[in-house]
Amino acid sequence: MKYNNKSIIGQIVAQDYRTASVFKRFGIDFCCQGNRTIEDACLNKGIAISDTLKALELIIGIEEKKVTDFDSWPLDLLADYIEKKHHRFVEIKSLEIKPYLNKICKVHGNVHSELLTIKSEFDASVGELTMHMKREELLLFPYIRKLSLAKTNNGELPKAVFGSIKNPIDQMEAEHSVEGERFSKINTLSNNYSVPDDGCNTYKVTYALLKEFEDDLHHHIHLENNILFPKAFELEKSLYNGL
């Protein structure tokens, strides 16, 4: 596929997740701000548009490995996947990371004061993500599953306590932006998870886990912001306009 300066970043990544590596390399947010064009994102970052397009061409020119085409999945299946894969990841990994962060803060915090801020930001992120995911699991995702079922079986349309699905989607996307900014700060404070010369093995493990957490969060938010949410909004609109 050929891309141009007006191509939408989120749509590009939805069609071929390999392209996410290009945007990461140039420091372009493809998940929380995936609704921008390549041109807008490059101008904002002071990056040559031609360099980005050339890098994308190189990626799509490589023999394509078998990748999961989330863009073609039914919405109920995608919601199930996000909940079981990414929500569980946050729950499990946050419990694993916190003791490591506590330890390196005690051992290295006096010399590397940025660790204390990283810990504070991570703890805040986990607390907010926990509440955020519960709202999705209890309200938004069940409604999306009912929309999907109504389409498949021509069944009764679900009634939502939140009005249009756009209302909770707007809230979820705003919360995604907050967490994206938090991890951008953590990334900067850690110098892209670069362990200092005096860092111990626990330091290395902690930074590796934090990087893994951030990478998973980017994919998690991408699946929701760029695929699940816009398709659910369009599905609701098409079902209710058909009345």
Side-chain angles (χ1 to χ4, degrees):
M1 178 175 288
K2 298 287 286 185
Y3 302 115
N4 59 54
N5 61 332
K6 297 300 182 183
S7 297
I8 304 297
I9 292 169
Q11 293 175 3
I12 293 171
V13 180
Q15 292 162 0
D16 188 343
Y17 193 72
R18 295 176 304 160
T19 59
S21 64
V22 172
F23 297 118
K24 284 183 180 180
R25 190 194 323 157
F26 287 111
I28 294 173
D29 185 347
F30 65 86
C31 51
C32 297
Q33 298 183 48
N35 59 343
R36 296 176 298 166
T37 64
I38 289 177
E39 181 179 45
D40 289 340
C42 288
L43 290 175
N44 181 259
K45 282 283 184 179
I47 299 166
I49 298 169
S50 59
D51 289 347
T52 305
L53 291 173
K54 188 179 295 183
L56 288 170
E57 287 176 9
L58 288 173
I59 284 288
I60 62 176
I62 298 171
E63 184 177 354
E64 187 171 353
K65 297 177 182 178
K66 188 172 182 180
V67 293
T68 306
D69 183 14
F70 294 106
D71 198 35
S72 67
W73 281 21
L75 296 189
D76 53 347
L77 177 61
L78 184 55
D80 289 346
Y81 176 84
I82 291 169
E83 189 171 323
K84 290 179 171 61
K85 170 72 166 62
H86 294 290
H87 286 197
R88 285 183 184 175
F89 181 92
V90 171
E91 293 166 1
I92 293 168
K93 287 296 179 177
S94 61
L95 293 175
E96 184 178 359
I97 292 170
K98 281 187 174 185
Y100 284 122
L101 261 178
N102 289 338
K103 184 174 181 179
I104 63 173
C105 280
K106 288 178 182 177
V107 175
H108 298 277
N110 287 337
V111 176
H112 298 285
S113 59
E114 71 276 3
L115 288 173
L116 305 178
T117 308
I118 289 172
K119 179 184 179 304
S120 175
E121 292 293 334
F122 182 77
D123 288 346
S125 182
V126 169
E128 292 298 326
L129 281 171
T130 299
M131 294 186 290
H132 171 93
M133 293 186 303
K134 285 302 175 188
R135 285 192 288 272
E136 289 183 335
E137 291 169 12
L138 296 175
L139 290 172
L140 183 54
F141 285 8
Y143 181 69
I144 290 174
R145 292 185 184 104
K146 289 175 183 177
L147 285 175
S148 186
L149 186 64
K151 178 187 177 184
T152 303
N153 299 334
N154 292 318
E156 182 179 350
L157 298 180
K159 302 296 181 184
V161 297
F162 42 69
S164 167
I165 197 173
K166 186 177 186 303
N167 296 321
I169 284 175
D170 285 348
Q171 180 183 350
M172 295 300 106
E173 289 183 343
E175 291 172 4
H176 287 167
S177 294
V178 170
E179 300 316 316
E181 289 169 7
R182 276 204 179 105
F183 264 89
S184 178
K185 184 176 180 180
I186 290 173
N187 190 304
T188 300
L189 286 166
S190 65
N191 191 24
N192 193 26
Y193 307 107
S194 299
V195 179
D197 292 339
D198 60 340
C200 60
N201 284 333
T202 302
Y203 213 126
K204 294 174 184 176
V205 170
T206 306
Y207 270 18
L209 288 171
L210 283 171
K211 184 180 186 307
E212 181 189 25
F213 195 98
E214 182 184 32
D215 288 343
D216 186 85
L217 186 63
H218 285 166
H219 193 214
H220 177 176
I221 293 173
H222 158 68
L223 290 177
E224 293 184 357
N225 279 22
N226 298 326
I227 302 178
L228 182 66
F229 291 169
K231 287 193 171 186
F233 175 70
E234 289 302 321
L235 177 57
E236 182 192 62
K237 190 163 60 172
S238 67
L239 288 174
Y240 278 91
N241 285 347
L243 290 176

